[in-house]
Amino acid sequence: MSAEYATFGLAPAMRAGGVLANGDYQVHRDFVDFIVDGRPLLFRLSDLDAVSPLAADIPPAIFTAHVRRLLLEAEAPLRDNRYVIYGCPECEGLECGAVTAVIEKAGDGADDFVWRDFAWQTEEPVDLQLNGYHGIGPFRFSGPEYREALRQLLAADEPQARRRVLLIGARVALLAKLAAALRTIGIGAEIAADAADVPPDELRTYGAVAFGRTVSDETRRSVRAAFEGAGVRVAYVDGLAPIVPLLVAQIEYALDRSPAEQRRLTRLAAGRDAARLSVTSTCRVRLIAYRMDRLSRTHVHEVFDDVLEPGEHRVPLAARSTKGDSYVVARTSTSVLVTSTSSSGGL
């Protein structure tokens, strides 16, 4: 099959971490995704939970080596000139499975790069007949466009994402549990009463600030002024409720640097009887409802877990999951959305 021209680009993406309904943890990973013809290549692979080799948390020397491989300035890591396009987000070992492809210069002498023979690979050599992605590619990218996109990563001063969160609030015990949960999934977290005495260089390492519900307006203004004075823009999170998994989901959403138009989940709203969400590509979606009763006890209900096609979807919610103060978290492998349920009726 001849390779047709496609546009090539790069964009920030994330593998959504979090505290799951069964108590398990899923590691948060920031990475750079490949944008082919304006759409994340990962989305063409249905519900694959994976990250590209261009992850933000790997050492700079390894990050640079991955970029140079994609530029064909270094040897392929696998047989038959094959390169890892997406790998396991937990360990990145080939034995866990990886999406690989042949990357080569165009055979007609043009200054183009070709990606072909995509396959799911767990060992060498790969069996294209059995494990090939026959509906994906081959893609032919203009050489100048391809090189410019990748070399911008090498020119960046700091490829690492700012994955630290400053937690501000009065409930120290809750903040300590939240910080521990965030650190478990790979997000740094520190607790403070305010940001008045934090040096500007340290403020620049944060990507988000999370405020507890009892933090005063004066403290909020002071914190914002400290970050503005340091010349850094961060996401601000107002905690919905003292529920650790819910707060983790809010922070995950705040740290998502991927372009809004390239996310799998683009909308979430919930009423007392149903949730409505928008999905841009076929993927597994999980909906979890959290509520607090009059005694401030937390109740968790996993209300939906299935693969959805692109489009608008309405998911019924059980009445027991939306009593009192209640919230819904929607998750895919790359996106997280959070909303409170509305008391004004159904959707």
Side-chain angles (χ1 to χ4, degrees):
M1 181 186 298
S2 61
E4 297 184 358
Y5 274 103
T7 61
F8 180 85
L10 301 168
M14 78 171 184
R15 188 271 187 134
V19 182
L20 307 182
N22 61 3
D24 290 343
Y25 291 90
Q26 186 166 283
V27 175
H28 175 103
R29 299 291 303 280
D30 291 300
F31 64 98
V32 177
D33 200 3
F34 308 110
I35 308 301
V36 178
D37 283 339
R39 185 167 179 251
L41 180 59
L42 183 60
F43 290 7
R44 298 174 187 252
L45 303 170
S46 188
D47 192 42
L48 183 66
D49 182 13
V51 299
S52 82
L54 307 178
D57 54 352
I58 62 176
I62 297 177
F63 185 94
T64 298
H66 285 313
V67 174
R68 296 202 179 281
R69 283 174 177 170
L70 295 172
L71 288 166
L72 302 183
E73 296 175 357
E75 290 186 6
L78 303 173
R79 295 184 197 173
D80 303 322
N81 211 33
R82 300 192 68 82
Y83 296 77
V84 174
I85 307 300
Y86 296 106
C88 173
E90 300 288 346
C91 70
E92 301 183 42
L94 184 62
E95 61 276 6
C96 288
V99 177
T100 67
V102 173
I103 301 179
E104 61 188 8
K105 295 299 295 289
D108 57 9
D111 184 20
D112 297 328
F113 290 77
V114 175
W115 288 20
R116 63 173 175 85
D117 294 340
F118 287 82
W120 177 254
Q121 190 168 350
T122 57
E123 59 183 4
E124 298 192 77
V126 66
D127 186 335
L128 290 177
Q129 188 63 34
L130 181 63
N131 297 315
Y133 286 102
H134 302 294
I136 299 179
F139 302 114
R140 180 170 179 151
F141 304 118
S142 164
E145 177 185 62
Y146 183 87
R147 279 190 293 268
E148 180 182 6
L150 288 167
R151 285 176 177 168
Q152 283 181 353
L153 297 177
L154 299 179
D157 293 333
E158 186 180 2
Q160 299 285 336
R162 289 181 290 131
R163 295 191 305 145
R164 297 179 69 209
V165 181
L166 185 62
L167 308 177
I168 296 180
R171 301 182 64 172
V172 177
L174 172 66
L175 294 181
K177 292 179 181 179
L178 176 57
L182 290 168
R183 291 166 187 156
T184 299
I185 67 172
I187 298 174
E190 284 75 41
I191 301 170
D194 55 47
D197 297 324
V198 182
D201 286 345
E202 183 175 345
L203 292 178
R204 297 186 186 102
T205 67
Y206 291 104
V209 176
F211 294 113
R213 293 196 294 182
T214 61
V215 174
S216 68
D217 290 341
E218 181 181 357
T219 298
R220 293 169 189 262
R221 288 193 296 267
S222 174
V223 170
R224 288 176 179 268
F227 277 92
E228 290 172 3
V232 59
R233 296 178 62 182
V234 296
Y236 294 97
V237 178
D238 293 316
L240 288 173
I243 302 172
V244 169
L246 179 69
L247 295 171
V248 169
Q250 284 191 265
I251 291 169
E252 280 271 288
Y253 173 77
L255 291 175
D256 190 351
R257 301 182 303 127
S258 62
E261 67 276 9
Q262 293 173 358
R263 298 180 186 180
R264 277 187 163 137
L265 283 175
T266 57
R267 176 177 176 266
L268 173 67
R272 293 301 186 191
D273 60 351
R276 192 174 293 276
L277 62 155
S278 299
V279 179
T280 62
S281 68
T282 302
C283 60
R284 178 188 177 191
V285 177
R286 288 172 289 178
L287 291 183
I288 303 172
Y290 298 91
R291 70 177 180 88
M292 297 194 70
D293 61 23
R294 294 179 180 179
L295 299 178
S296 296
R297 294 174 300 191
T298 300
H299 300 266
V300 183
H301 303 279
E302 187 165 350
V303 296
F304 183 82
D305 186 351
D306 205 348
V307 175
L308 295 179
E309 299 294 325
E312 299 278 340
H313 299 273
R314 183 181 185 276
V315 179
L317 298 175
R320 64 188 176 92
S321 65
T322 56
K323 292 180 179 179
D325 294 333
S326 55
Y327 313 88
V328 175
V329 175
R331 288 185 170 277
T332 71
S333 61
T334 60
S335 303
V336 178
L337 287 179
V338 182
T339 188
S340 61
T341 57
S342 169
S343 58
S344 58
L347 292 177

